Amino acid sequence: MLSRVANNLFWMGRYIERAEHIARFMNVNYFASLDAPNQLSQSRNFVLQSMLFMVGDPVSDIDKELNEEEVLYDLGLNPEKPYSIISSIKVARENANSSRDLISTELYESLNKFYHFVMNYPTETYKKTNLYDFTVNITEITAVLRGKIRGTLLHDEVYAIIMMGVNIERAIQITRIINTKYNDALMAKGSYKDPIGNSYEWTTLLKCAESYDMMRRLYKKTPNGTSTLEFLLLNGKCPRSFMNCINQVHKHILEIDKKVEYSQSSTAFLVGKVKAEFQFKQVDEVLEDIQGNLNMILNKMFKISESMEKEFFNY
């Protein structure tokens, strides 16, 4: 396989996953504010600022009144914004076009249909009344795409490269979402005992990661900061957790790079090192410096991605 084609497959997986997480975050964050227990969490301005913070375009002045329709357009359908959903889908399709002979017709047709759905979505309707419809469709279609990837491709190097992209992006997006909701929890505190640990934002965070029900099933109690961070960072059985993502990345890198021994500069060594570190990490260590640990995870995932590009996609 040409390194250029491998690069296209990797980024196709990443952009599909990115679109899904941004759409779900917008949906859950926007509509969860209607049930929020305090005035700040209910504030539309607070919700819009949270969305922009998550995609890496934070508002410098928290007192600035944001235009709701403008923010929603920028996040969803503005082709000029690199973080918008429409930009992710366009790039995912371009990457699929460049590696058409390696993916199935079923996957390509689903991605093509997805592209036309987003490109032809009525902008004014989306901005005024259809945020829910648009974001739910995005999350459902990306689930179909993942099903096509798993169900129609040979589980060989092509599949491994796409799934590497999917899981690296999922780890990054979940960490960004945790970082955003932790930031929200610092501002919208709970009203009893531990105001940050008991903030409503932890419940919203779990719903953003589609993990609320399973977390309640496992812990059998109302989510708080400690249990939520443990579940979404360190629980390998949670499919959205960072630990599960790094386990999957490790599994797929071994499919791509089948050496018996790995040099310390190799991607496989780097992934194995991160996996080992978090396998034995305890939630108390994370709680000592939540922000620092989240930034560390992001930096490690960026390094893994850069190492992949240097080792396998350099053309």
Side-chain angles (χ1 to χ4, degrees):
M1 191 194 312
L2 292 172
S3 57
R4 173 180 56 79
V5 176
N7 188 41
N8 290 333
L9 291 168
F10 177 75
W11 282 100
M12 180 189 78
R14 284 195 65 168
Y15 278 112
I16 289 170
E17 195 70 13
R18 186 174 302 180
E20 185 206 356
H21 279 81
I22 293 171
R24 196 182 325 100
F25 186 81
M26 289 173 69
N27 181 312
V28 173
N29 223 27
Y30 190 91
F31 294 105
S33 65
L34 302 175
D35 298 323
N38 64 56
Q39 199 168 358
L40 183 58
S41 292
Q42 291 171 4
S43 160
R44 193 53 49 80
N45 213 51
F46 180 73
V47 170
L48 296 174
Q49 285 177 4
S50 179
M51 290 178 184
L52 290 170
F53 185 91
M54 184 264 176
V55 295
D57 189 14
V59 178
S60 52
D61 180 8
I62 58 170
D63 297 321
K64 180 185 174 184
E65 197 66 32
L66 297 170
N67 182 308
E68 182 177 328
E69 289 189 9
E70 276 182 20
V71 173
L72 294 181
Y73 174 66
D74 284 348
L75 291 165
L77 293 174
N78 188 348
E80 303 298 318
K81 296 290 184 183
Y83 52 70
S84 69
I85 290 169
I86 196 170
S87 295
S88 293
I89 303 310
K90 281 171 76 174
V91 181
R93 182 175 177 261
E94 284 167 16
N95 282 308
N97 285 338
S98 305
S99 48
R100 178 68 191 85
D101 58 323
L102 290 174
I103 61 176
S104 65
T105 303
E106 293 80 7
L107 172 58
Y108 184 75
E109 284 178 352
S110 295
L111 185 51
N112 210 32
K113 195 187 292 182
F114 189 18
Y115 169 79
H116 288 293
F117 167 78
V118 176
M119 293 302 291
N120 297 321
Y121 204 87
T123 304
E124 288 306 312
T125 311
Y126 159 71
K127 289 195 289 188
K128 293 186 187 318
T129 59
N130 273 32
L131 174 65
Y132 182 83
D133 175 77
F134 177 75
T135 52
V136 165
N137 269 291
I138 297 294
T139 55
E140 288 179 351
I141 297 170
T142 50
V144 169
L145 288 172
R146 277 199 305 275
K148 297 290 184 186
I149 291 167
R150 290 195 177 97
T152 66
L153 299 182
L154 287 172
H155 284 212
D156 57 6
E157 289 91 345
V158 170
Y159 175 78
I161 287 168
I162 295 172
M163 293 310 292
M164 279 279 290
V166 166
N167 283 289
I168 286 173
E169 189 63 34
R170 182 178 294 179
I172 290 170
Q173 292 303 323
I174 284 294
T175 309
R176 282 187 185 279
I177 291 171
I178 295 170
N179 193 22
T180 303
K181 298 317 289 178
Y182 172 63
N183 187 58
D184 290 350
L186 291 176
M187 291 190 278
K189 297 176 181 176
S191 56
Y192 57 98
K193 291 185 181 176
D194 177 4
I196 295 171
N198 291 322
S199 173
Y200 176 73
E201 300 303 328
W202 299 113
T203 297
T204 310
L205 165 57
L206 286 162
K207 290 178 179 176
C208 287
E210 288 187 324
S211 302
Y212 179 74
D213 292 330
M214 292 303 103
M215 186 273 178
R216 291 294 299 261
R217 181 181 158 196
L218 181 67
Y219 287 88
K220 297 179 174 56
K221 63 179 182 180
T222 305
N224 59 33
T226 304
S227 59
T228 302
L229 288 169
E230 184 175 47
F231 191 64
L232 288 180
L233 289 178
L234 305 176
N235 190 322
K237 292 181 181 176
C238 169
R240 299 273 174 188
S241 72
F242 171 75
M243 193 66 236
N244 183 272
C245 291
I246 201 69
N247 285 341
Q248 293 299 315
V249 171
H250 186 253
K251 171 187 163 187
H252 294 304
I253 193 67
L254 297 183
E255 179 68 32
I256 299 166
D257 189 357
K258 297 180 178 175
K259 296 189 191 81
V260 177
E261 287 188 21
Y262 298 98
S263 71
Q264 292 189 8
S265 60
S266 69
T267 308
F269 183 88
L270 186 57
V271 172
K273 190 176 175 185
V274 174
K275 181 190 172 195
E277 179 185 346
F278 280 86
Q279 208 166 0
F280 300 102
K281 208 172 190 68
Q282 294 179 314
V283 70
D284 292 341
E285 297 172 61
V286 177
L287 292 171
E288 285 171 11
D289 182 11
I290 296 174
Q291 198 82 61
N293 276 289
L294 294 174
N295 289 335
M296 177 192 69
I297 289 171
L298 285 173
N299 288 333
K300 286 180 186 296
M301 295 315 294
F302 293 146
K303 280 180 183 172
I304 289 170
S305 183
E306 286 167 14
S307 178
M308 279 280 295
E309 302 223 7
K310 283 179 189 170
E311 190 173 349
F312 301 108
F313 309 147
N314 206 356
Y315 58 91

